[in-house]
């Protein structure tokens, strides 16, 4: 064919860190402590719920309501209504999506136009930037001040990213890859900023149950003045350790969610019925056991807390400096002290952390993820000495 | 844009800032939303929306139960398609197409056939492009093309002079008219065979004529073949991608939902040359990344089972078509009994019927809507029978050609068809 085939919206978004590294991991049969998924099973009650949905009536295998299976949106509205302290409308205030990933996609596609700016707090889950670009927007990155011991968001730096085209800010708490859990005063600072400048807040809270050492997850949508301008994103995959189910949601005020619905109905339209039914059953159980020892949302962080400590010990034992996460699935570690003879010519033009990660995969059979992949291209050069581990694994880490 | 810093004066600003992106302007309406609510009443016999009320084959359901019980099958799989599934697809379609299909480079697994259409259009179509769409069309093609910033160009299927025993084969594309729709801006043509809603199965000659134009104008072809296994006696499904010169410019869409009667699984696929599929993969990696793992594994197992049975009566790909042929013929008979004129489909699980002969006066039904919309609303209310108006599947200019037609779905249990029969038999009474 003579003409250009691809649409221009794909320009600059064709590379993808997961595609690249999962392929390499598979090729070298490396132990995967990089990608964020558990290597243990989901809790039996959720697997049973799925089986029960599958063997349920014929309707479980046919299309359900496009914007979300009624049983699921109803229980989510109840569940989160109790947490946020407001009446949430199941039909108006939710869009069920194919994973939180698709919820992010719908949000950007629905709200971001050519030329709009979106503030993305770095380091960020890598998809935010290409999704903003594909929607025609400009990601405006805000670097954490690395000089202080704690990773904090500076209000001055936040304000410096503001301009007349700023439409939204994306936050992720607990944060991937850092594991930072935003405190109330930080969220209040962001909330004040959003309200003052009439900006939408996109809050990716997929790791909301996974907080350690007494850190509390706070929903920015519950702060005064924020419900009406926040899209909160959640994930059944992360909540129930079943990432392969790909069920997520966007929750927010109906007048914003309706635009996500338009994107959804013109892109995938429906999500799998039986999976939604199973997640609904899971949430009903969690609603009934919330706060008790029987709640999976309590058991999982307790389980992961120990794995987190074990990984940190292991990394320190080989002279590495982990950054202890307050929440989430991941731990990053400074690898500056690693003395490695990198003689792989295929990676010579890549950032140092990419080179180390590829060396680890090829030479040590261990797959991790380079943290500079979670920074904008302009800032990648500043942060080449961290790699990310996922500790939601039962396997023993190969101590290098 | 003036920035008003005082949040109290933000009423105007809030409406500006929270305004939707331009790409969705005018795309919020959707025929399914309107009609699923109309027919949500359980006392209404629903022959409207296109999904089976017959159960899927038990081995398919069992396959899913088995997959869910395997730990690692509950976690992320390969983004562009679970390896077991893309390999199974490569086998099945390699055989059907008579060529080697690379499972990793020439196949993308998507969220239903719908998701394949989306990835194809987003990946390959943009502002300034024209896309030819044949009427009547599955309704999502138009909003998807518009959302990509492109212009839909319509060409209607036209009915020949035949007056009785009309079949979908009597609907054809005027060749001169078709040729006139192609120009240097034409990026793609979307075809759907078997066609929803008419049920037309495009012949090799008809596809060749389309192929010739695609090659002449260097146009892509997006071929929606979700009903590919559902062709009735005497009609064979032909894949336009297998015609000379077409593999390199065609994306073919398939559906697990339609293949295995599991529309609620929402799995489909796009098959084509690497230089096209790679762009669909880019859309995928930036939109939802991966499809659900256990569902993909179960579809793979189902495909492998039926691949071994291809050509035999037990093969679900052909046994479903046989089962549906009986239902097709039955529905046609009962529609005629009520005085409607059905168009017998050569494929698919829909049948359209001309309601002109019923002479139903609808001026009392308000709304400035085409006749078929009013007829459906009246029929749902007065006769407790639901169908879909065919003008939902055509552009503005063709409304007058299609507004006397309504669409019935016949992939329904006998008890549903019995209930429909009871209504249609008594049509002229009361």
């Amino acid at each position: 064919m003579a003409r250009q085939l691809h649409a221009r919206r794909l320009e600059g978004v064709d590379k993808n860190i997961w595609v690249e590294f999962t392929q390499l991991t598979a090729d070298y049969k490396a132990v995967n402590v990089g990608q964020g998924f558990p290597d243990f099973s989901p809790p039996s009650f959720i697997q049973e719920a799925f089986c029960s949905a599958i063997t349920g009536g014929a309707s479980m295998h046919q299309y359900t309501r496009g914007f979300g299976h009624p049983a699921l949106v109803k229980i989510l509205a109840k569940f989160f209504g109790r947490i946020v302290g407001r009446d949430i409308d199941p039909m108006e205030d939710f869009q069920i999506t194919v994973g939180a990933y698709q919820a992010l996609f719908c949000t950007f596609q629905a709200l971001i136009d050519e030329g709009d700016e979106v503030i993305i707090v770095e380091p960020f889950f890598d998809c935010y930037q290409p999704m903003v670009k594909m929607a025609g927007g400009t990601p405006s990155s805000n670097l954490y001040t690395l000089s202080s011991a704690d990773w904090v968001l500076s209000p001055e730096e936040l304000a410096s990213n503001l301009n007349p085209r700023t439409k939204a800010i994306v936050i992720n708490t607990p944060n991937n890859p850092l594991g930072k859990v935003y405190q109330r005063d930080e969220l209040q600072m962001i909330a004040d900023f959003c309200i003052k400048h009439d900006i939408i807040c996109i809050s990716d809270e997929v790791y909301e149950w996974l907080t350690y050492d007494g850190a509390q997850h706070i929903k920015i949508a519950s702060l005064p003045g924020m419900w009406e301008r926040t899209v909160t994103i959640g994930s059944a995959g992360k909540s129930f350790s079943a990432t392969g189910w790909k069920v997520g949601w966007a929750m927010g005020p109906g007048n914003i969610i309706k635009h996500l619905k338009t994107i959804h109905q013109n892109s995938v339209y429906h999500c799998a019925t039986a999976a939604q039914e199973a997640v609904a059953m899971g949430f009903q159980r969690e609603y009934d056991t919330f706060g008790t020892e029987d709640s999976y949302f309590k058991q999982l962080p307790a389980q992961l807390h120990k794995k987190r400590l074990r990984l940190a010990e292991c990394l320190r034992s080989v002279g590495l400096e982990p950054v202890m996460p307050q929440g989430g699935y991941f731990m990053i570690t400074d690898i500056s002290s690693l003395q490695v003879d990198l003689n792989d010519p295929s990676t010579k033009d890549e950032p140092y952390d990419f080179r180390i990660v590829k060396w680890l995969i090829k030479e040590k059979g261990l797959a991790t993820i380079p943290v500079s992949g979670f920074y904008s291209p302009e800032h990648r050069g500043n942060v080449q000495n961290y790699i990310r581990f996922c500790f939601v694994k039962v396997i023993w880490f190969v101590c290098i | 844009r003036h920035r008003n810093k005082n949040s109290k004066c933000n009423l105007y600003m809030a409406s500006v800032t929270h305004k939707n992106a331009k790409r969705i302007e005018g795309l919020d309406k959707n025929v399914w939303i309107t009609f699923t609510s109309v027919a949500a009443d359980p006392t209404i016999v629903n022959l409207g929306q296109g999904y089976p009320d017959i159960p899927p084959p038990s081995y398919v359901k069992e396959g899913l139960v088995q997959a869910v019980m395997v730990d690692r099958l509950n976690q992320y799989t390969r983004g562009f398609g679970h390896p077991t599934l893309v390999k199974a697809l490569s086998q099945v379609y390699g055989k059907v197409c008579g060529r080697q299909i690379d499972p990793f480079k020439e196949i993308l697994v998507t969220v239903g056939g719908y998701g394949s259409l989306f990835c194809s259009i987003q990946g390959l179509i943009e502002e300034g492009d024209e896309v030819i769409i044949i009427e009547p069309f599955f309704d999502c093609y138009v909003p998807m093309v518009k959302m990509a910033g492109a212009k839909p160009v319509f060409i209607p299927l036209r009915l020949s002079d035949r007056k009785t025993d009309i079949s979908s084969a009597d609907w054809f594309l005027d060749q001169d008219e078709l040729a006139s729709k192609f120009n240097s801006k034409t990026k793609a043509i979307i075809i759907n065979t078997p066609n929803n809603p008419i049920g037309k199965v495009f012949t090799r000659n008809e596809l060749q004529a389309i192929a010739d134009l695609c090659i002449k104008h260097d146009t892509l072809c997006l071929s929606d073949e979700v009903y590919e296994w559902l062709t009735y006696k005497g009609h064979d499904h032909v894949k336009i991608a297998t015609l000379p010169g077409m593999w390199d410019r065609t994306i073919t869409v398939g559906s697990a939902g339609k293949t295995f009667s599991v529309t609620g699984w929402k799995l489909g696929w796009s098959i084509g040359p690497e230089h096209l599929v790679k762009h669909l993969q880019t859309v995928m990696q930036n939109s939802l990344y991966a499809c659900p793992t256990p569902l993909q594994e179960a579809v793979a197992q189902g495909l492998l089972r039926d691949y071994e049975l291809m050509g035999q009566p037990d093969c679900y790909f052909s046994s479903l078509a046989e089962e549906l042929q009986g239902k097709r013929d039955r529905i046609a008979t009962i529609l005629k009994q009520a005085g409607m004129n059905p168009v017998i489909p050569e494929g698919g699980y829909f049948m359209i019927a001309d309601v002109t002969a019923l002479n139903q006066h609808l001026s009392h039904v308000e709304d400035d809507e085409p006749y078929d919309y009013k007829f459906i609303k009246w029929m749902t209310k007065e006769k407790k029978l639901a169908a879909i108006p065919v003008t939902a599947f055509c552009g503005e200019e063709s409304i007058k050609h299609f507004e006397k037609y309504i669409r019935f779905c016949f992939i329904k249990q006998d008890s549903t068809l019995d209930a429909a029969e009871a209504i249609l038999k008594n049509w002229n009474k009361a």
Side-chain angles (χ1 to χ4, degrees):
Chain A
M1 290 200 66
R3 63 170 93 208
Q4 165 161 306
L5 293 170
H6 64 272
R8 275 163 298 179
R9 66 179 65 81
L10 301 191
E11 264 147 39
V13 302
D14 50 317
K15 296 268 171 294
N16 179 284
I17 196 173
W18 308 110
V19 172
E20 187 181 3
F21 284 95
T22 47
Q23 187 61 59
L24 207 55
T25 303
D27 290 345
Y28 285 85
K29 300 192 181 6
V31 170
N32 195 340
V33 287
Q35 201 179 357
F37 61 86
D39 68 355
F40 48 81
S41 72
S44 53
F45 71 81
I46 204 80
Q47 278 175 301
E48 280 155 25
F50 204 164
C51 293
S52 138
I54 295 163
T55 54
S59 63
M60 284 292 116
H61 298 283
Q62 308 306 332
Y63 296 128
T64 183
R65 176 176 170 269
F67 304 138
H69 187 53
L72 179 55
V73 292
K74 284 176 187 163
I75 188 60
L76 287 177
K78 251 177 97 171
F79 188 96
F80 288 108
R82 189 167 66 176
I83 293 182
V84 168
R86 68 183 297 132
D87 276 328
I88 303 181
D89 186 317
M91 303 298 163
E92 300 300 313
D93 299 346
F94 277 95
Q95 170 64 62
I96 305 296
T97 53
V98 180
Y101 210 97
Q102 197 224 338
L104 289 161
F105 178 75
C106 285
T107 306
F108 291 122
Q109 286 282 314
L111 303 174
I112 305 304
D113 255 325
E114 191 108 19
D116 282 344
E117 290 212 2
V118 179
I119 299 174
I120 301 176
V121 183
E122 294 185 295
F124 52 84
F125 180 56
D126 71 296
C127 79
Y128 305 158
Q129 183 166 45
M131 283 190 183
V132 167
K133 282 180 90 163
M134 197 169 139
T138 308
S140 140
S141 300
N142 186 228
L143 190 65
Y144 272 122
T145 48
L146 291 178
S147 52
S148 66
D150 298 323
W151 298 62
V152 291
L153 194 54
S154 132
E156 294 75 35
E157 198 153 357
L158 186 59
S160 75
N161 276 281
L162 179 71
N163 69 55
R165 292 305 304 265
T166 305
K167 185 88 183 265
I169 178 172
V170 188
I171 66 167
N172 174 217
T173 178
N175 172 274
N176 171 8
L178 280 186
K180 174 186 172 65
V181 172
Y182 285 64
Q183 313 261 22
R184 184 171 291 275
D185 55 354
E186 288 178 296
L187 292 174
Q188 190 60 64
M189 187 266 287
I190 295 169
D192 292 341
F193 179 78
C194 289
I195 292 166
K196 181 173 178 180
H197 303 290
D198 197 23
I199 288 168
I200 293 175
C201 179
I202 301 169
S203 185
D204 176 353
E205 301 183 13
V206 297
Y207 302 106
E208 58 187 306
W209 312 116
L210 304 181
T211 56
Y212 315 112
D213 300 333
Q216 288 262 356
H217 173 73
I218 297 167
K219 291 179 122 31
I220 196 170
S222 64
L223 269 51
M226 288 307 285
W227 173 262
E228 48 262 42
R229 62 181 64 255
T230 305
V231 178
T232 303
I233 308 248
S235 160
K238 301 294 196 282
S239 297
F240 292 113
S241 307
T243 61
W245 288 24
K246 294 291 291 182
V247 175
W249 52 85
M251 173 179 80
N255 64 306
I256 295 183
I257 296 295
K258 74 180 183 192
H259 300 310
L260 278 67
K261 286 178 175 175
T262 303
I263 294 290
H264 186 76
Q265 89 199 20
N266 288 303
S267 58
V268 307
Y269 197 17
H270 303 88
C271 301
T273 310
Q276 292 187 70
E277 175 76 12
V279 172
M281 289 193 259
F283 264 96
Q284 182 62 61
R285 180 197 188 276
E286 289 302 305
Y287 181 82
D288 296 335
T289 58
F290 196 70
T292 73
E293 295 306 309
D294 285 335
S295 156
Y296 187 69
F297 296 166
K298 203 160 194 259
Q299 292 164 355
L300 183 61
Q303 196 190 348
L304 296 184
H305 163 79
K306 296 193 198 124
K307 293 184 194 294
R308 183 188 62 131
L309 293 175
R310 177 184 285 156
L311 175 60
E313 256 171 52
C314 178
L315 292 171
R316 283 188 202 113
S317 76
V318 294
L320 294 177
E321 291 280 338
V323 175
M324 206 58 180
Q326 301 163 292
Y329 263 16
F330 306 105
M331 179 178 293
I332 71 170
T333 185
D334 189 330
I335 42 159
S336 316
S337 63
L338 268 186
Q339 310 279 320
V340 170
D341 187 9
L342 288 173
N343 55 9
D344 184 347
S346 72
T347 67
K348 75 173 171 54
D349 293 325
E350 293 181 358
Y352 182 69
D353 56 346
F354 273 69
R355 304 192 71 200
I356 288 284
V357 166
K358 289 184 179 178
W359 176 84
L360 280 169
I361 292 174
K362 295 176 184 177
E363 303 300 327
K364 297 289 180 181
L366 189 70
T368 59
I369 298 286
V371 171
S372 68
F374 298 91
Y375 281 83
S376 59
E378 311 84 74
H379 296 148
R380 216 160 267 174
N382 303 344
V383 276
Q384 297 194 35
N385 51 331
Y386 287 92
I387 63 177
R388 187 193 83 167
F389 284 83
C390 174
F391 53 84
V392 187
K393 312 280 181 187
V394 294
I395 53 149
W396 280 94
F397 305 108
V398 174
C399 286
I400 44 172
Chain B
R1 248 183 16 201
H2 173 64
R3 283 256 146 217
N4 188 328
K5 298 202 183 291
N6 184 338
S7 64
K8 287 205 175 97
C9 299
N10 267 341
L11 285 174
Y12 169 74
M13 289 307 296
S15 67
V16 169
T17 318
H18 298 174
K19 193 171 159 32
N20 52 279
K22 292 193 205 70
R23 66 179 58 82
I24 54 174
E25 278 306 311
L27 303 187
D28 48 317
K29 298 268 173 296
N30 180 288
V31 62
W32 308 112
I33 298 165
T34 316
F35 285 95
T36 34
S37 60
V38 161
D41 179 343
T43 64
I44 293 173
V45 178
N46 194 342
L47 298 188
Q49 199 170 357
Y51 56 82
D53 68 3
I54 60 175
S58 52
Y59 62 86
V60 164
K61 285 192 285 186
E62 276 150 27
L64 183 54
V65 170
Q66 279 164 32
V68 170
M69 297 319 291
V70 176
D71 290 353
R72 64 179 171 74
L73 294 179
N74 287 287
Q75 308 305 336
Y76 294 129
T77 183
R78 176 178 171 268
F80 303 144
H82 184 52
T84 330
L85 177 55
V86 294
K87 286 175 190 166
L89 288 167
S90 157
Q91 271 188 276
V92 170
Y93 288 102
K95 181 172 180 161
V96 169
C97 296
R99 68 180 294 134
Q100 293 258 38
I101 298 178
D102 185 317
F104 302 110
K105 299 192 175 142
E106 296 180 316
I107 299 179
L108 174 67
V109 176
T110 55
V111 179
Y114 213 97
S116 271
L117 293 163
F118 181 72
C119 286
S120 301
I121 292 169
Q122 283 284 309
L124 303 170
I125 307 297
E126 61 184 353
E127 194 142 348
D129 287 342
E130 292 189 5
V131 177
I132 298 173
I133 297 176
I134 299 170
E135 296 167 305
F137 49 84
F138 180 55
D139 70 294
C140 81
Y141 303 162
V142 168
M144 283 191 184
V145 165
K146 286 182 164 170
M147 198 171 128
K151 179 181 168 200
V153 169
F154 299 110
I155 174 167
L157 283 166
R158 295 182 183 281
L159 182 56
S160 68
D161 293 330
R162 189 198 268 283
K163 294 293 176 221
T164 57
D165 294 320
I166 294 170
S167 91
S168 54
D170 297 308
W171 291 78
F172 66 98
L173 287 175
D174 180 294
Q175 292 307 307
D176 292 332
E177 193 179 7
L178 180 62
S180 76
K181 302 291 176 180
F182 281 78
N183 63 50
S184 59
K185 294 194 181 132
T186 311
K187 186 75 184 277
I189 178 170
I190 303 179
I191 68 170
N192 175 217
T193 179
N195 168 275
N196 172 7
I198 294 188
K200 179 180 176 64
V201 173
F202 284 71
T203 63
R204 184 171 293 273
N205 286 344
E206 287 173 312
L207 293 174
Q208 189 62 64
I210 295 171
D212 291 342
L213 286 163
C214 286
I215 292 166
K216 178 175 175 183
H217 295 275
D218 198 20
T219 298
L220 297 174
C221 180
L222 181 52
S223 185
D224 177 354
E225 301 182 13
V226 296
Y227 301 105
E228 59 186 305
W229 307 112
L230 303 180
T231 56
Y232 303 116
K233 283 208 173 59
H235 308 288
D236 289 324
H237 175 70
V238 177
K239 288 178 151 328
I240 195 170
T242 60
L243 269 51
M246 288 307 285
W247 173 262
D248 285 333
R249 60 181 66 255
T250 305
I251 292 286
T252 305
V253 174
S255 159
K258 304 294 194 271
T259 298
F260 288 116
S261 306
V262 286
T263 62
W265 287 29
K266 289 295 295 190
L267 280 176
W269 42 84
S270 297
I271 298 182
E274 181 182 357
H275 60 263
L276 293 181
V277 170
K278 73 180 183 189
H279 300 308
L280 280 62
Q281 291 176 337
T282 300
V283 176
M284 185 71 176
Q285 86 197 17
N286 288 303
S287 59
L288 49 99
Y289 186 70
C291 289
T293 316
L295 292 162
Q296 291 190 70
E297 176 72 21
V299 171
Q301 297 306 326
L303 285 171
L304 289 171
R305 179 219 188 255
D306 283 300
Y307 172 77
E308 295 302 326
L309 296 171
M310 273 169 90
Q312 295 173 44
D314 273 3
C315 177
Y316 192 71
F317 303 160
S318 39
S319 68
L320 178 62
E322 280 211 29
E323 184 186 347
L324 290 180
Q325 176 135 5
K327 294 182 193 284
R328 178 195 73 162
D329 296 340
R330 184 180 173 193
I331 263 280
T333 308
I334 59 189
L335 290 175
K336 281 182 202 154
Q337 279 176 0
M340 297 187 195
N341 277 312
V343 173
I344 312 299
E346 302 157 275
Y349 49 60
F350 302 107
M351 180 178 297
I352 68 171
D354 184 342
V355 298
T356 311
L358 295 176
N359 236 339
Q360 183 63 45
H361 292 294
L362 295 170
S363 43
H364 59 285
V365 177
E366 296 184 31
D367 299 326
D368 181 25
E369 283 181 327
Y371 184 86
D372 54 348
Y373 273 73
K374 293 196 232 188
F375 188 93
I376 294 290
K377 286 183 176 159
W378 169 84
M379 185 173 80
T380 311
K381 188 164 173 237
E382 301 299 328
K383 300 292 183 184
K384 300 281 191 188
L385 178 65
I388 298 288
V390 172
T391 60
F393 302 94
C394 75
E396 284 271 325
E397 320 252 305
S398 296
I399 287 177
K400 50 190 176 315
H401 298 306
F402 294 108
E403 70 174 336
K404 291 303 177 68
Y405 290 94
I406 60 178
R407 186 196 82 171
F408 292 93
C409 174
F410 56 86
I411 186 166
K412 304 290 177 185
Q413 298 188 65
D414 287 341
S415 57
T416 312
L417 298 179
D418 291 341
E421 180 164 12
I423 293 170
L424 290 158
K425 264 199 166 119
N426 295 315
W427 194 271
N428 294 310
K429 300 171 190 165

